[in-house]
Amino acid sequence: MFKLETRNANLWYGEKQALKNISIGIEPNSVTSFIGPSGCGKSTLLRCFNRMNDLIENTKIKGEFLLDNTDIYDMDVYELRKKVGMVFQKPNPFPKSIFENVAYGLRIVGGKDRNEIKDKVELSLKNAALWDEVNGILNKPALSLSGGQQQRLCIARTLAIEPTVVLMDEPASALDPISTSKIEDLIYELKQKFTIVIVTHNMQQAARISNKTAFFYLGELIEFDNTDKMFTNPQNERTQNYVTGRFG
């Protein structure tokens, strides 16, 4: 069974159709990359999986969007976002301490005492490969961290509420090469516990970290296959042109 799935998914922003008959199945405990030129629909589809598009006026959606075979649009959005976390392009830590950034979601969810929150914060920072760098400065402002550390903190904050899916919208595009490498290593490790879907413009990044890759163009899913095959033997000429840098 697929962890995430769409069947004939269509989406419009006003009159503009951003997604056209997208059917895709994403396997559990895997990394799936969405690639394609700007404006091709990849971030739009990503945001459908935790209903972020609900916040945009004049959005119309048709088709099925499924999490564990349950229609996402039949679920309580609060419950959905506990199961499907999101990491954005630019690090967006809260103006709070490192500790409180990670603890924030746990307090919102409720039902956890102080010691349990402390343990969860530590585990989440370890899962985000940040614990060794911050365990002595947890009360320092999150904004005092470097950009790469802030992004890993945002990943820790997402992991703290124990989602099963983590969506990442170009999570390393604002980072330097060393920080990018750490994020990629982290993503590779996290697929043991989570299902990860990442939007990236970085072809090499998709090749390095993904099990499967989906190529989008003008709102359509052009090709979806094992990453190795997508980059060495794509079946569609448009995919071939994109991955070899002839357009996009």
Side-chain angles (χ1 to χ4, degrees):
M1 188 173 77
F2 293 123
K3 187 69 181 175
L4 292 169
E5 187 178 3
T6 67
R7 298 172 187 162
N8 300 316
N10 292 271
L11 182 144
W12 292 261
Y13 296 126
E15 297 297 313
K16 181 180 184 297
Q17 187 168 3
L19 297 177
K20 302 172 184 175
N21 296 314
I22 305 289
S23 295
I24 190 169
I26 293 168
E27 294 168 354
N29 298 103
S30 65
V31 179
T32 301
S33 284
F34 290 174
I35 63 170
S38 296
C40 67
K42 55 191 185 295
S43 289
T44 294
L45 179 59
L46 190 79
R47 290 195 300 266
C48 286
F49 289 128
N50 71 343
R51 291 179 51 183
M52 290 289 286
N53 292 312
D54 290 12
L55 305 172
I56 301 172
E57 285 187 18
N58 299 319
T59 299
K60 184 173 74 172
I61 292 172
K62 287 186 177 178
E64 292 181 276
F65 298 82
L66 307 170
L67 170 67
D68 294 326
N69 219 30
T70 299
D71 195 307
I72 285 168
Y73 287 86
D74 288 338
M75 297 173 67
D76 176 80
V77 71
Y78 177 76
E79 292 300 319
L80 172 67
R81 289 179 186 159
K82 283 200 288 186
K83 294 178 179 178
V84 183
M86 183 120 185
V87 177
F88 295 93
Q89 184 172 357
K90 292 184 179 176
N92 59 342
F94 303 138
K96 299 173 180 285
S97 70
I98 295 166
F99 182 92
E100 285 301 327
N101 262 269
V102 184
Y104 180 81
L106 297 170
R107 297 193 201 285
I108 295 291
V109 172
K112 293 176 174 59
D113 63 30
R114 184 178 298 178
N115 287 332
E116 190 176 358
I117 287 175
K118 185 180 174 188
D119 291 344
K120 292 268 189 189
V121 168
E122 179 176 340
L123 178 62
S124 300
L125 288 167
K126 284 178 176 174
N127 283 338
L130 191 57
W131 175 252
D132 290 344
E133 296 167 47
V134 302
N135 67 49
I137 56 168
L138 292 175
N139 291 322
K140 275 197 160 188
L143 295 169
S144 68
L145 297 174
S146 71
Q149 288 174 322
Q150 287 184 22
Q151 190 64 304
R152 280 182 284 146
L153 180 66
C154 292
I155 292 171
R157 187 176 69 197
T158 300
L159 301 182
I161 57 171
E162 300 179 338
T164 58
V165 176
V166 180
L167 310 176
M168 297 186 172
D169 196 352
E170 296 191 66
S173 65
L175 305 179
D176 62 83
I178 292 174
S179 297
T180 295
S181 178
K182 288 184 177 179
I183 295 289
E184 289 180 5
D185 289 345
L186 172 59
I187 290 169
Y188 193 81
E189 290 295 319
L190 289 176
K191 72 176 180 181
Q192 312 301 325
K193 303 175 184 174
F194 306 92
T195 301
I196 297 172
V197 187
I198 177 172
V199 166
T200 180
H201 276 105
N202 186 324
M203 227 68 67
Q204 292 79 14
Q205 184 174 80
R208 283 192 295 264
I209 65 172
S210 309
N211 301 98
K212 290 198 169 184
T213 297
F215 170 58
F216 294 86
Y217 186 61
L218 298 177
E220 295 182 40
L221 176 61
I222 304 301
E223 192 165 347
F224 180 50
D225 211 330
N226 292 329
T227 296
D228 289 347
K229 187 177 177 189
M230 283 279 285
F231 283 98
T232 58
N233 188 29
Q235 300 303 293
N236 189 286
E237 185 180 356
R238 285 175 291 185
T239 312
Q240 172 82 30
N241 289 340
Y242 186 74
V243 301
T244 55
R246 290 182 200 149
F247 83 90

